[in-house]
Amino acid sequence: MAASISRRIFRTFGSFSALGRSSSPNLSANTSGNGLASLTNDLKYGMALLSNRKLSTSILTPDDSFPSDLLTKKTVLTPDRTIGQYQDLVIPVTNFQNEEKGFMVLAGDVFDVPIRKDIIHNVVRWQLAKRQQGTHSTKTLSEVSGTGRKPWNQKGTGRARHGTLRGPQFRGGCVMHGPKPRSHAIKMNKQVRRLGLKIALTARAAEGKLLVFDDLGLPTHKTKNIVNYYNQMENTKKVLVVEGGPIDEKLKLATQNLHYVNIIPSIGLNVYSILLHDTLLMSRDAVNKIVERMHTPINR
């Protein structure tokens, strides 16, 4: 029985027992009459080998220098963030003086949604169609001023037969099947409209074109305050400033002469305005109100 237990122990420890068989005097005692003492010695020696194996790993201290020949020469590239994972984003907060004002967490279900170009296309079509006035109008036969008598006899003149001079074939006549005042608006679900705004915000955040300011206040109403900050921005042509509450009067005066800077309240933020500007500048209050607006249940 002791011999069978010893064989199971040897199978468990494998190479450790085989490695120490020649050097350990205790392992040679298997041929003796005391099988239990041999089993105990085997266990002790196996545990000793395991402990020595754990301590054999070398550890570099701060004083040691890593061998330069073992370092790779290839440039390690950080993989880009995958868009559309609904992950919360952390973005730094500054102001017009480039002062650090901490960080802000952007909700992942608003600023990190999958990009859908078809949704953006449909929302832009809906916006442009809805804002079209539809006041175009042409006069029909009954609306054109003129006489109602028959211009000449039906037969005998050799000319074409006509019943009125107000027809579309005469100068100053009516327009047949012309445009009349109507609404060009098309129907779009509220969920799709809301999703389009989320996609537009996600695209600007993924491009690094979303800036968050702690406060949009300016010390003076001088335009040079905005111009100086605009000149420091890279790859920017037009800026859309989004304010959470009422627009500051100094900010309005400082940007009213700049065609490349426009201000809009958070309640009026829309997809088409975001696409017209390559950089989106929002205040903390505006971000909070946009997130609250996106999380508000839709009235059915």
Side-chain angles (χ1 to χ4, degrees), residues 4-5 17 22 28 31 66 70 85 95 100 137 155 183 190 193 198 204 210 230 232 247 261 264 277 290:
S4 62
I5 296 176
S17 300
S22 61
S28 62
T31 58
F66 198 85
L70 297 180
Q85 300 298 318
N95 56 13
E100 297 182 358
S137 178
K155 296 178 178 295
S183 174
K190 294 181 180 179
R193 289 184 254 164
K198 292 180 180 180
R204 287 294 175 258
L210 176 62
Y230 175 82
Q232 299 175 6
I247 300 176
V261 178
I264 191 173
H277 303 78
I290 288 296

Side-chain angles (χ1 to χ4, degrees), residues 89-95 98-106 211-215 284:
L89 308 179
V90 179
I91 188 171
V93 180
T94 59
N95 56 13
N98 289 325
E99 299 174 354
E100 297 182 358
K101 297 294 184 178
F103 296 88
M104 186 174 188
V105 178
L106 303 180
L211 306 178
V212 178
F213 277 18
D214 184 62
D215 187 13
R284 277 182 184 267

Side-chain angles (χ1 to χ4, degrees), residues 39-93:
L39 176 61
T40 306
N41 293 333
D42 292 343
L43 288 174
K44 291 182 179 179
Y45 192 72
M47 297 303 295
L49 288 176
L50 288 175
S51 62
N52 292 335
R53 182 180 177 88
K54 291 180 180 179
L55 297 176
S56 63
T57 304
S58 60
I59 301 176
L60 291 177
T61 61
D63 299 334
D64 299 335
S65 59
F66 198 85
S68 60
D69 55 333
L70 297 180
L71 296 175
T72 179
K73 303 299 182 181
K74 297 181 180 180
T75 304
V76 179
L77 298 178
T78 304
D80 295 335
R81 179 179 63 87
T82 304
I83 304 175
Q85 300 298 318
Y86 300 97
Q87 298 178 354
D88 294 343
L89 308 179
V90 179
I91 188 171
V93 180

Side-chain angles (χ1 to χ4, degrees), residues 177-191:
H177 310 293
K180 301 297 287 185
R182 66 182 181 92
S183 174
H184 292 266
I186 59 178
K187 182 182 178 180
M188 178 163 291
N189 295 336
K190 294 181 180 179
Q191 288 182 339

Side-chain angles (χ1 to χ4, degrees), residues 11 22 54 63 78 164 188 223 250 257 267 295:
R11 285 197 299 268
S22 61
K54 291 180 180 179
D63 299 334
T78 304
T164 178
M188 178 163 291
T223 306
K250 293 181 181 179
N257 292 332
I267 192 63
H295 289 169

Side-chain angles (χ1 to χ4, degrees), residues 151-276:
W152 49 79
N153 294 334
Q154 182 80 357
K155 296 178 178 295
T157 61
R159 306 179 65 179
R161 53 193 177 188
H162 294 290
T164 178
L165 293 176
R166 294 181 295 174
Q169 69 272 27
F170 292 107
R171 180 177 180 270
C174 67
V175 176
M176 300 302 296
H177 310 293
K180 301 297 287 185
R182 66 182 181 92
S183 174
H184 292 266
I186 59 178
K187 182 182 178 180
M188 178 163 291
N189 295 336
K190 294 181 180 179
Q191 288 182 339
V192 180
R193 289 184 254 164
R194 178 173 293 185
L195 180 58
L197 184 57
K198 292 180 180 180
I199 294 174
L201 293 174
T202 299
R204 287 294 175 258
E207 296 169 353
K209 295 293 186 179
L210 176 62
L211 306 178
V212 178
F213 277 18
D214 184 62
D215 187 13
L216 296 179
L218 292 175
T220 61
H221 65 281
K222 296 294 184 179
T223 306
K224 64 180 181 180
N225 297 324
I226 302 297
V227 174
N228 293 337
Y229 183 81
Y230 175 82
N231 293 334
Q232 299 175 6
M233 304 174 70
E234 298 179 356
N235 301 327
T236 300
K237 294 182 179 180
K238 297 188 69 175
V239 181
L240 179 63
V241 181
V242 183
E243 179 62 277
I247 300 176
D248 184 64
E249 190 65 25
K250 293 181 181 179
L251 181 62
K252 184 188 299 185
L253 294 175
T255 59
Q256 65 181 359
N257 292 332
L258 302 177
H259 67 277
Y260 48 82
V261 178
N262 294 315
I263 308 176
I264 191 173
S266 61
I267 192 63
L269 186 63
N270 57 86
V271 175
Y272 190 63
S273 297
I274 294 177
L275 296 181
L276 286 181

Side-chain angles (χ1 to χ4, degrees), residues 271-291:
V271 175
Y272 190 63
S273 297
I274 294 177
L275 296 181
L276 286 181
H277 303 78
D278 52 7
T279 301
L280 190 61
L281 196 156
M282 305 177 66
S283 64
R284 277 182 184 267
D285 189 25
V287 173
N288 293 331
K289 289 189 175 182
I290 288 296
V291 173

